[in-house]
Amino acid sequence: DKLDDLKDAGTVRIAIGNEPPFTAIGADGKVSGAAPDVARAVFAALGVADLEASILDYGAMIPSLQAGRVDAITAGLFMKPERCDAVAYSEPILCDAEALLLPAGNPKGFQSYEDFANDPEARLGAPGGGTEEKLALDAGVPRDRLIVVPDAQSGLKMVQDGRIDAYSLPVLSLNDLLAKSGDDKLEVFAPVVGAPVYCDGAAFNKRDTDLRDAFDVELAKLKESGEFARIIEPYGFSAQAAISTNRETLCAQE
Amino acid sequence: MGDWSGYLTLILQGAWVTIKLTLMGSALALVVAFVAGLGRISRLAALRWLSTAYIEFFRGTSIFVQLFWIYFVLPMTGLWAPTPMQAGVLALGLNVGAYGAEVVRGAILAVPRDQYEACIAVNLTRFQRMRHVILPQALPLMLPTFGNNAIELLKATSVVSLISLADMTFQAQVVRSQTGSTLLPFVTILVLYFAMSSVLSLAIRSYERRVTRGLDGVR
Amino acid sequence: MEWDWDFAWSILPQLLAGFRVTLIATALGAVVAAVLGLVFAILRRSRNRAVARTTGFVVEFIRGTPLLVQLYFIFYVLPDLGIRLPALTAGVIGMGLHYATYTAEVYRGGIEAVAKGQWEAAKASNLTARQTWIHVILPQAVPPMIPAMANYLLAMFKETPLLSAITVLELMNQARSVANSSYRYVEPMTMVGVMFLIVSVISVIGLRWLERHYGRVGK
Amino acid sequence: MIRIQNLRKSFGTLTVIDGLDFDVMKGEKLALIGPSGSGKTTILRILMTLEDISGGRIEVCGEPLYHMTKNGAEVPADEAHLHKMRRHIGMVFQHFNLFPHKSVLQNIAMAPILTKGEKRPDAERRARELLDMVGLADKADYMPSQLSGGQKQRVAIARALALQPQIMLFDEVTSALDPELVEEVLEVMKRLANETDMTMLLVTHEMGFAHDFADRVLFFDKGRIVEQGPPDQIFTAPQEDRTKSFLRKIIAAGQRV
Amino acid sequence: MIRIQNLRKSFGTLTVIDGLDFDVMKGEKLALIGPSGSGKTTILRILMTLEDISGGRIEVCGEPLYHMTKNGAEVPADEAHLHKMRRHIGMVFQHFNLFPHKSVLQNIAMAPILTKGEKRPDAERRARELLDMVGLADKADYMPSQLSGGQKQRVAIARALALQPQIMLFDEVTSALDPELVEEVLEVMKRLANETDMTMLLVTHEMGFAHDFADRVLFFDKGRIVEQGPPDQIFTAPQEDRTKSFLRKIIAAGQRV
Ligand SMILES: Nc1ncnc2c1ncn2[C@@H]1O[C@H](COP(=O)(O)OP(=O)(O)OP(=O)(O)O)[C@@H](O)[C@H]1O
Ligand SMILES: Nc1ncnc2c1ncn2[C@@H]1O[C@H](COP(=O)(O)OP(=O)(O)OP(=O)(O)O)[C@@H](O)[C@H]1O
Ligand SMILES: [Mg+2]
Ligand SMILES: [Mg+2]
């Protein structure tokens, strides 16, 4: 089966998004971030020593998984019903709420995605194919005011340059981004009012539920041992948040 | 910012990917250009038709569309799931190859009719005519345009960053998101691209000089 | 993965909206390329060596580096220097600038094709430099350039998907946005390809007509 | 009218004109003859300011052509000065150089409108008069490509006349023409020479025409004047050996003298 | 050796050869003469299979050239048949048509290696013998562009001979040459005519040479044979008016007879 194949190969191919703290690439090209670190620990326990990461657009991850181009997605791709239909998720790993990166003091007072829908001048940036885009569209933000931003750094830049009024990502991602930029004219507003807290899991191809199940077993042990918390909490994630919920709940949550 | 040398290494790794893409893409383009170019002037209507369809299709649609099609759509047909590198080489090679095919065809038709007739008079077969007489004379005519095509291909490699192949443009994006500096990585790669295309055009020009020197006085 | 006609039909309006943006970007880019190309061509002929050389280098540099990177540069780096352009404007300027380096060559070819005696006759008629350009040189140089210009217009049209990288909601970006939220790539990508193909085929027919009508200059 | 002093002109290392001096009086008709490459065309082109000079000095209508005074000192002329001086001079070229995208009438009327600010109707009326003079009144609305070589050259003459220059330069105006078309152009020029008091410089290989046309003939060789004088003297009693051998060759080649 | 029956050839609506018949014996040397446009070149090109025929029949070495038998019926020849028949025939062109990218030696040795599977050393040895024969032994490693016209044509003759065809076709092989180079080529051909028993067809405007070279002369006009016979008869006592007037014109033009 799939796990044996991976063991033989000695590596597992994962999709990541290059969005700290979920996923990151160091100057040396080494993959880090909370999601790949957890995956690395679990796969090591399963007997697969190496990770081989490809950086993908969020929108391209699921097609890549379906096309068999990667074995798993460990990128902070939050569970949502239609995604749960498309892929096989593990139990939750990283949880985070949605946030907005906007000018300090939030002069226009944006608090929810609806606020953007209601202000005919407001322009919101979000990654293409991400949760935030979906939530904003559902809240009624029209396409032409919802700017698809190719990556987080571009989002930051576009807020700084005043091209968009706010850029939406999970809280920790924005905190990390803002901290790195050192820009005191911006702030992170969190959580976005009315937006649920989401959790990601490692996502597998629907055909590979065996692999997913094996992953879940080792993930549970990791959570049990406290190792899980030691990996993700330095990145700012809460281990408790992930442990206190489960896949069924998250997959049912719109 | 402190780790700039590390980031430079990352960009140089990307540069290597760009160079590989350019070389492999050009190699594929060259092969395809000859196959399709010869197909265009084949006696067999089916071959002619096929080559024309290929050329018009790949010249008619955008390379981005071709790239996305090969990378995302082709796997879903269940036929084959190319890696980003394979998809990049394939898209670049097929796209530029379509332009090259017209160059091949034009150069072959530019060889004077006299040469065909001399071949018949010494009783060469069709294949021998092409291989020993026509192509050797057509090649120097193709080179300048091939050179331009190779530079276009080099520039087009940057689009593979959109399918997350870690070429130079992509690595610049990575560095940018790691360091928060936009200016430095982009200026670096602009200079590197320019250096590469300059090297390419110099190389082609000197090769061209060598080849045409042999044919001194022919035309 | 199966082709889903209903889905294809449902996303058509969104794609057509993107197609409109694509056409607008192409048209505006063409105007920029035509005007700027002429400026480049004239500056390169300048008697002032420094001006001619500098222009030559700038043109070579722009032509030797990828449009995509130039777009990133204009969109993300220029704001640091206090120039903040809307996405579409940035895209139009980027494409126009890039293609101006090609059209400059066309202008050069067209201008050089005007007989030397025309410059002399203009001088003998005591026209000023400006009058010579407007009344004597350009009216003769421009018509033979039209086919080559149209060719680059078509090439530029095919490069508009690059604008998606700087958030312009053109055809390709619409398609990717559809694909990202529906996880379906087959329909949007194929439809984009078909739209490009339709425009290209029509353009190629138009181009042949132009070539017959105005003849050929340059490459 | 024209004063050339110690004129020098080289192309790269090739010296084409080397210390040339001559004057031309107002209304004088000059023919410049000499072997190929002797620099005849170059002199006309220099007078038309189509070339730079390498040394020496030229005065036209009392003003220096390639120099101007600035803050009391004489400096090389700028484009504005050249533009001003060109008002005095017109030129007809061997290959006509008509503007192919303009009608015959526009070819003639364009420059007066643009350079002298003439009103279009005035300029066109004068253009028609000139066309009438060169015998092409009915061709005003033709395009140059529809004309024969001889007709083109006559239009070119009309175009040059339209600016009413004081000096006209003609460079082998018939040598690109088929033999049967030469006469119609020479006809016009003879009339011009007799009817106007314009100063004219003519480069030609048609010795017979040079004889009839000119008040004075200059024989050039290697960028210098070898011999000059009234046509009768030059053609029938040349003094210099080079002049003699040149004329002998021309006659042997069957040209009219 | 060659039998042409009722041959017809048209280009579009223009009929160039109209019902031509003639036979050529083995070893015979034939000269084809006639005014420009009379179809002489076309006949050679047809024999070399460079053109299609519009009608009629040709036999070469006892086999039909443009036909072959398939399932008992005679059908138009395919490329394989033409390829087989071309072994018998060689041709030398007016403009030499050497391969510019190959050395003189390669020009000659290439075809034997490729078409007859000769070993390279053998082919090259024979090529050198042929070069010796045409007087160019020292030019083996030159490129064609380094040769004079006469040398090029002699190489072209050697190239055709290398395949040892039974029939050789020569189409105005000296008319693209400067006059002083003609003799060296004719020299080679005379020797060839005397020393071998190859069948040869020669199209030429050099009447003197046709006279010395040929066993039989055919005079063509408008795609038909007007008159034929031994050279002495044709050149000194032609029967037909058209032959007479053609020869008179040629002589008036100063060609050798
Ligand atoms: N632009 C140029 N560059 C270099 N050499 C030139 C140029 N123009 C003219 N020359 C050379 O200058 C010499 C004089 O040329 P010019 O045309 O004045 O002779 P010409 O007396 O008019 O001869 P012709 O009777 O053949 O017209 C010639 O040797 C010519 O090759
Ligand atoms: N490819 C062609 N297409 C159309 N017409 C042709 C073609 N080749 C030859 N012809 C015509 O056929 C006629 C015979 O031509 P051919 O070259 O055989 O004459 P020729 O006797 O060799 O004349 P010459 O002495 O000038 O070489 C001419 O009228 C020529 O214009
Ligand atoms: Mg001259
Ligand atoms: Mg002939």
Side-chain angles (χ1 to χ4, degrees), chain D residues 11 14 16 34-43 51 172 203 205:
Chain D
F11 293 105
L14 177 76
V16 174
S36 185
S38 55
K40 310 179 294 295
T41 295
T42 304
I43 292 167
E51 305 278 355
E172 299 195 27
V203 169
H205 286 138

Side-chain angles (χ1 to χ4, degrees), chain A residues 185-223:
Chain A
K185 292 196 227 31
L186 299 182
E187 70 170 39
V188 172
F189 173 85
V192 175
V193 175
V197 171
Y198 284 111
C199 300
D200 91 329
F204 298 90
N205 195 303
K206 283 249 151 184
R207 288 191 303 269
D208 300 334
T209 43
D210 291 355
L211 178 60
R212 191 269 311 268
D213 293 344
F215 187 96
D216 274 346
V217 171
E218 290 302 328
L219 179 61
K221 284 186 199 157
L222 212 60
K223 286 179 177 169

Side-chain angles (χ1 to χ4, degrees), chain B residues 113-126 128-129 132-134 136-137 214-218, chain E residues 45 48-50 79 83 86-87 89-91 93 97-102 110-111 114-115 145 159 163:
Chain B
R113 251 205 86 70
D114 282 356
Q115 292 291 313
Y116 289 87
E117 301 193 339
C119 289
I120 293 179
V122 297
N123 209 10
L124 303 188
T125 62
R126 282 179 206 277
Q128 290 168 337
R129 274 175 232 165
H132 294 282
V133 176
I134 306 304
Q137 293 183 60
L215 279 176
D216 224 18
V218 172
Chain E
R45 289 174 58 81
M48 191 66 256
T49 69
L50 297 174
E79 177 65 23
H83 188 255
R86 280 185 206 126
R87 276 179 309 142
I89 312 166
M91 182 162 178
F93 299 87
N97 300 3
L98 294 182
F99 303 127
H101 59 298
K102 298 204 174 276
M110 177 175 77
L114 291 176
T115 66
S145 58
R159 179 176 70 177
L163 287 166

